[in-house]
């Protein structure tokens, strides 16, 4: 297999090649680093590339495989042993800068691993580097990063979506076999849709948030970006599960996500919910058509299509931006120039705070701190924050009721395909609207997956979203896998000119 073909294989496939000794981790890592080398100047998917660490980890991973293959060890390495991965820059990886896409953390080197990266490290995964993100994961296009926008590999003039745009673009451009992202309102699913890859946001509490630089703590969840559903299951298996360092994790061992994946190839007995309002209205016609085609495919595979109502999700956007910004304003109070990152010294402590935060944060982050602080102010708290929490409960109840009738809900991920760089950055409301279909899943805490399901007339990828009930990842992944086995949208790759 030539290096170019190898770069676009699935994680599961390269994992098999490693386990039989047909390829080494050093070779795989070199393939990824050379893809990064040739495309990074155009795509800007990474904030930090950790080539030395990657090569050192690859050497160790090869020893582990060799020992197993030669019978020197009876401990079979994890399927991730030797597989190159990338990690969004809001997730702490020990001894590598974690900038969160912000000037204020440009020099912050965490002395510890997040639980997710620690679990990947223990599984023998290779860390290629940290991927670009909107500043503190606030955005939908990766344009608010202090380190310049990421470009969509399908059209370099367009955004990759956001905020995990670096991770999505890196997977899409064949620079890595998978990546971690984070999803507070859609930031894994939305860029996955815009870059033609698979984005999984697990249930709130499925994956530890320890070592994740917090944005909206009650909404944030670490998720995965991969080429296939099976790859998402492999990564989720490694990073999920209880963690003493995060009391919001479910204290139960996660099920085996892979075991059930290929048990059947049809959807007989599966009830798929379709929300009427979501399938009409302000959708780009090609997105609407692809979602309708997906519904037909699911039906053809044996699923029963059931109409569902989610009446309160029409207020989800307002509730989300109040809650997310309120939490962000509290979470970002710690960046004062004293404990983390860059300090801009002033005449006194107060001036040091002001200088550090004025220079360190970008416009979008400041906007959110101001909105969030305002929503929490005495006198406005009841009108804004408290009401938003009430709406959140109603949205949760909508989903509980819907999932008493169906197994998954299908709909669009984004109203449009990838938009042009610069098109929405001056208009925050337009930008916020690009998450309209994903953020209710975060308010409800439920899992969601974005799958490639078509292309628009300009050849840009389209995604479809499947939402599942709380802790229903196993079923969600199984249904998504069956759909993916029956279609080949995920097999298309962008052609970057070098
Ligand atoms: N685009 C949404 C926002 O800007 C969601 C971001 C995210 O999921 N991190 O808040």
């Amino acid at each position: 297999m030539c290096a170019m073909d190898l770069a676009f294989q699935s994680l599961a496939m390269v994992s098999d090649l490693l386990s039989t000794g047909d390829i080494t981790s050093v070779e795989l890592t070199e393939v990824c680093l050379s893809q990064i080398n040739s495309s990074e100047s155009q795509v800007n998917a990474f904030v930090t590339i950790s080539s030395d660490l990657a090569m050192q980890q690859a050497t160790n991973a090869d020893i582990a495989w060799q020992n197993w293959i030669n019978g020197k060890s009876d401990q079979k390495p994890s399927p991730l042993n030797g597989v190159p991965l990338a990690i969004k820059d809001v997730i702490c990886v020990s001894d590598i800068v974690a900038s969160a896409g912000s000037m204020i953390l440009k020099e912050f080197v965490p002395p510890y691993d997040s639980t997710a990266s620690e679990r990947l490290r223990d599984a023998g995964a290779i860390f290629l580097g940290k991927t670009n993100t909107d500043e503190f994961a606030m955005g939908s296009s990766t344009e608010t990063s202090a380190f310049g926008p990421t470009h969509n590999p399908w059209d370099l003039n367009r955004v990759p979506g956001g905020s995990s745009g670096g991770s999505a673009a890196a997977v899409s451009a064949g620079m890595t076999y998978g990546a971690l992202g984070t999803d507070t309102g859609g930031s894994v699913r939305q860029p996955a849709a815009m870059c033609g890859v698979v984005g999984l946001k697990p249930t709130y509490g499925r994956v530890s948030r320890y070592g994740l630089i917090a944005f909206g703590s009650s909404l944030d969840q670490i998720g995965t970006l991969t080429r296939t559903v099976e790859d998402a299951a492999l990564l989720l298996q490694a990073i999920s599960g209880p963690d003493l360092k995060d009391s919001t994790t479910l204290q139960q061992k996660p099920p085996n996500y892979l075991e059930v994946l290929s048990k059947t190839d049809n959807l007989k007995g599966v009830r798929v919910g379709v929300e009427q309002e979501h399938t009409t209205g302000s959708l780009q016609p090609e997105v609407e058509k692809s979602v309708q085609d997906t519904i037909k495919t699911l039906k053809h595979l044996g699923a029963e299509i059931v109409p569902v109502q989610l009446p309160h999700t029409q207020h989800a956007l307002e509730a989300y931006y109040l809650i997310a910004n309120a939490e962000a304003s509290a979470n970002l109070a710690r960046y004062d120039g004293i404990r983390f990152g860059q300090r801009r010294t002033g005449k006194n402590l107060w001036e040091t705070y002001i200088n550090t935060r004025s220079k360190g944060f970008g416009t979008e982050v400041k906007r959110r701190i101001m909105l969030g602080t305002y929503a929490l102010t005495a006198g406005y708290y009841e009108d804004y924050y408290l009401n938003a929490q009430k709406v959140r409960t109603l949205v949760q109840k909508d989903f509980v009721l819907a999932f008493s009738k169906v197994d998954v809900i299908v709909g669009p991920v984004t109203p449009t395909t990838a938009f042009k760089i610069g098109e929405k950055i001056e208009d925050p409301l337009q930008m916020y609207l690009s998450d309209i279909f994903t953020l209710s899943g975060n308010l409800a805490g439920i899992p969601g997956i974005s799958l490639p399901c078509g292309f628009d007339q300009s050849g840009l990828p389209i995604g479809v979203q499947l939402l599942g009930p709380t802790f229903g990842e196993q079923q969600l992944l199984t249904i998504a896998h069956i759909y993916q086995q029956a279609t080949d949208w995920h097999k298309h790759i962008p052609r970057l000119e070098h």
Side-chain angles (χ1 to χ4, degrees), residues 275-283 288 292 437:
E275 200 201 353
Q276 242 41 49
E277 296 88 283
H278 269 185
T279 54
T280 52
S282 57
L283 279 181
E288 173 152 8
Q292 292 303 337
F437 300 127

Side-chain angles (χ1 to χ4, degrees), residues 88 137-140 162-163 182-187 215 320-321 368 435:
K88 185 178 180 180
M138 297 172 186
S140 311
S163 60
T182 61
D183 194 310
T184 304
S187 279
F215 164 10
Y320 167 83
Y321 276 97
R368 294 190 186 218
D435 293 305

Side-chain angles (χ1 to χ4, degrees), residues 151-159 418 420-421 458 460 494 496:
H151 298 252
N152 191 318
W154 293 90
D155 177 348
L156 294 169
N157 296 318
R158 292 179 186 265
V159 303
K420 293 238 167 75
I421 292 179
S458 326
L460 297 167
L496 280 166

Side-chain angles (χ1 to χ4, degrees), residues 24-358:
T24 65
S25 175
V26 165
E27 285 167 333
L28 271 187
T29 306
E30 278 168 353
V31 165
C32 291
L33 291 173
S34 108
Q35 279 289 113
I36 295 173
N37 199 20
S38 55
S39 309
E40 179 60 4
S41 61
Q42 294 168 290
V43 179
N44 193 31
F46 285 83
V47 178
T48 306
I49 300 164
S50 47
S51 334
D52 292 346
L53 170 68
M55 290 312 287
Q56 184 196 328
Q57 287 176 314
T59 309
N60 293 339
D62 282 336
I63 296 172
W65 278 123
Q66 276 312 313
N67 285 344
W68 156 256
I69 293 165
N70 299 335
K72 279 198 210 135
S73 157
D74 50 13
Q75 179 76 32
K76 185 169 185 192
S78 147
L80 295 184
N81 184 63
V83 177
L85 299 175
I87 297 179
K88 185 178 180 180
D89 209 27
V90 291
I91 300 171
C92 290
V93 175
S94 172
D95 300 327
I96 304 182
V97 171
S99 74
S102 181
M103 271 309 167
I104 211 163
L105 287 182
K106 199 172 150 238
E107 288 143 25
F108 170 58
V109 181
Y112 63 94
D113 257 328
S114 61
T115 296
S117 62
E118 184 178 52
R119 288 181 181 176
L120 293 179
R121 193 191 289 275
D122 291 348
I126 311 305
F127 296 160
L128 294 167
K130 305 294 294 294
T131 52
N132 202 10
T133 164
D134 280 295
E135 187 174 5
F136 286 98
M138 297 172 186
S140 311
S141 64
T142 322
E143 289 170 289
T144 72
S145 167
F147 308 103
T150 294
H151 298 252
N152 191 318
W154 293 90
D155 177 348
L156 294 169
N157 296 318
R158 292 179 186 265
V159 303
S163 60
S164 313
S167 289
V171 174
S172 162
M175 299 171 168
T176 177
Y177 295 100
L180 295 188
T182 61
D183 194 310
T184 304
S187 279
V188 162
R189 290 161 288 163
Q190 188 256 31
M194 291 191 173
C195 290
V197 299
V198 174
L200 171 69
K201 172 223 170 298
T203 310
Y204 185 81
R206 184 56 100 189
V207 178
S208 169
R209 288 177 295 113
Y210 177 76
L212 161 62
I213 296 173
F215 164 10
S217 310
S218 76
L219 302 155
D220 296 340
Q221 190 57 196
I222 294 178
T224 62
L225 293 120
T226 52
R227 293 196 187 103
T228 69
V229 175
E230 185 184 14
D231 294 354
L234 274 160
L235 280 185
L236 182 66
Q237 199 74 59
I239 62 173
S240 59
D243 180 19
L244 288 176
K245 295 184 191 133
D246 174 3
S247 60
T248 63
T249 49
L250 181 74
Q251 294 306 307
Q252 237 172 48
K253 218 175 151 256
N256 189 325
Y257 301 115
L258 289 148
E259 205 176 66
V260 291
L261 275 194
S262 300
K263 282 241 160 93
T264 158
D265 59 0
N266 67 65
L267 294 173
K268 291 205 180 78
V270 173
R271 297 158 306 166
V272 174
V274 177
E275 200 201 353
Q276 242 41 49
E277 296 88 283
H278 269 185
T279 54
T280 52
S282 57
L283 279 181
Q284 183 179 326
E286 295 126 304
V287 174
E288 173 152 8
K289 175 162 189 317
S290 291
V291 171
Q292 292 303 337
D293 287 349
T294 305
I295 296 170
K296 279 187 210 140
T297 306
L298 296 174
K299 197 170 169 189
H300 184 71
L301 287 165
E304 180 193 347
I305 308 298
V306 182
V308 291
Q309 262 114 38
L310 299 165
H312 298 96
T313 52
Q314 60 173 308
H315 306 298
L317 187 88
E318 290 83 349
Y320 167 83
Y321 276 97
L322 282 165
I323 294 168
N325 292 347
E327 292 183 10
S329 72
N331 277 327
L332 269 58
R334 73 191 71 175
Y335 304 109
D336 54 8
I338 307 300
R339 287 161 298 174
F340 308 98
Q342 269 191 358
R343 178 182 306 166
R344 309 262 178 169
T345 315
K347 283 199 290 292
N348 50 40
L349 182 63
W350 189 243
E351 219 181 81
T352 299
Y353 287 161
I354 294 177
N355 289 352
T356 300
R357 289 171 67 86
S358 307

